[in-house]
Amino acid sequence: MIISIVPNLDNDGVKELTKRIIEQLHSLNCVIYINNEYESIFDDGSITFCPEDCLYNDCDVAIAVGGDGTTLNVAKNASVKNKPTLGINAGRVGFMSGLEKNELHLLENVVNGKCTVEERMMIRACIYEDNAVKGEYHCLNDAVISRGDLARLIDISVSSREGMITKVRADGIIISTPTGSTAYSMAAGGPVLSPDNSCFVITPICPHTLANRSIIVSSDKELNINIDNDRNNNSFLSVDGVKSVQITPQTKVVISKSPYSAKLIKVKSENFYEILNKKIIERRI
């Protein structure tokens, strides 16, 4: 089996953990690929170092070593090549991780096929200006439209072919997947959804209203989002908290279901609600 390892060396302890993973995979007779920029760190004479594109083209499984952000980014890159991702937690929560750092012996189950693969829907966010596509992005957690540096509210409308869905004056709005419902959307008061659902969760950010409720929309709909802000303010589209693009009142953001789906490897028997209680609810009590 060919396994690509993608470590986030900005996280404490990831270098040492990655070396332990390499040792464990060698004992299982796996071929290991790592980005060639890490050759001076991990070269032991038996690793294949290659450009990032090759990591996902040639592997059977991609392993993300880090926190949820690392797993999210690796899963998105791997989804384009229809490859599954295993997250090994070296961060704080590790809600998307399949294994903890003290469970490396369970890598044997991955190599032997004693695991399952969960498919997670993704979002496609397209930016249009003058009826032309200015940008297209795919995200696993959420697409967020927010105000700029000034503490001034923006007016946001969300519609579909059937008509208007919601209008809100707020700091912004979050369009999340069920996977992303436990991230920024939850922090903004949105509902938690099991990741086996296929829908969009629309959650306002600090709306100027006495009632703040999320709206859940089927993922077979195409959402058209328009933003209006005063001349002294700016708005931005942020995709999975990484890519940020400025948008104007002349910009239209179109949200739809991505043709790609993230594939996360599940090794243990814990279900979503058990993980939710252990990693989020009980952790905060």
Side-chain angles (χ1 to χ4, degrees), residues 100-272:
E100 299 296 323
K101 55 188 174 184
N102 62 340
E103 298 174 329
L104 299 188
H105 61 282
L106 294 177
L107 285 170
E108 182 177 2
N109 292 343
V110 177
V111 175
N112 294 332
K114 296 179 181 179
C115 58
T116 58
V117 177
E118 294 183 344
E119 290 207 25
R120 306 284 185 93
M121 71 156 279
M122 292 171 55
I123 284 174
R124 175 168 58 190
C126 291
I127 298 176
Y128 288 87
E129 286 188 1
D130 299 322
N131 295 318
V133 178
K134 181 182 178 181
E136 179 178 332
Y137 312 94
H138 298 267
C139 47
L140 176 54
N141 263 0
D142 48 42
V144 178
I145 293 171
S146 59
R147 63 172 173 81
D149 296 335
L150 298 179
R152 298 186 181 184
L153 303 181
I154 56 177
D155 293 296
I156 307 163
S157 64
V158 183
S159 62
S160 68
R161 291 179 182 176
E162 289 80 7
M164 184 62 61
I165 295 175
T166 187
K167 285 185 176 181
V168 63
R169 186 166 174 80
D171 277 352
I173 200 164
I174 305 163
I175 313 294
S176 84
T177 64
T179 296
S181 72
T182 57
Y184 192 6
S185 178
M186 183 184 74
V192 172
L193 301 181
S194 173
D196 56 1
N197 286 289
S198 184
C199 58
F200 304 120
V201 183
I202 305 172
T203 303
I205 305 170
C206 297
H208 190 249
T209 176
L210 292 175
N212 181 15
R213 294 289 184 270
S214 298
I215 299 174
I216 298 175
V217 180
S218 172
S219 63
D220 62 2
K221 297 188 183 301
E222 186 175 85
L223 306 181
N224 298 307
I225 304 176
N226 292 95
I227 302 92
D228 191 16
N229 44 262
D230 63 53
R231 61 180 182 174
N232 296 317
N233 199 5
N234 295 314
S235 301
F236 294 88
L237 170 69
S238 177
V239 179
D240 277 341
V242 179
K243 184 69 176 179
S244 183
V245 181
Q246 185 172 346
I247 53 180
T248 69
Q250 290 72 46
T251 303
K252 181 172 72 172
V253 178
V254 178
I255 300 291
S256 59
K257 184 178 180 180
S258 172
Y260 307 116
S261 60
K263 297 172 175 59
L264 297 181
I265 294 175
K266 182 179 177 183
V267 183
K268 297 177 289 186
S269 59
E270 294 174 309
N271 64 41
F272 169 75

Side-chain angles (χ1 to χ4, degrees), residues 36-49:
N36 51 20
E37 68 180 83
Y38 300 137
E39 185 169 359
S40 62
I41 299 174
F42 298 115
D43 188 16
D44 64 359
S46 60
I47 296 172
T48 299
F49 293 95

Side-chain angles (χ1 to χ4, degrees), residues 63-110:
I63 290 181
V65 188
D68 283 329
T70 306
T71 300
L72 183 146
N73 288 325
V74 173
K76 284 198 300 183
N77 291 333
S79 72
V80 178
K81 303 298 181 181
N82 199 32
K83 302 296 176 66
T85 298
L86 172 67
I88 298 182
N89 183 30
R92 289 171 293 180
V93 180
F95 192 73
M96 297 176 65
S97 299
L99 292 177
E100 299 296 323
K101 55 188 174 184
N102 62 340
E103 298 174 329
L104 299 188
H105 61 282
L106 294 177
L107 285 170
E108 182 177 2
N109 292 343
V110 177

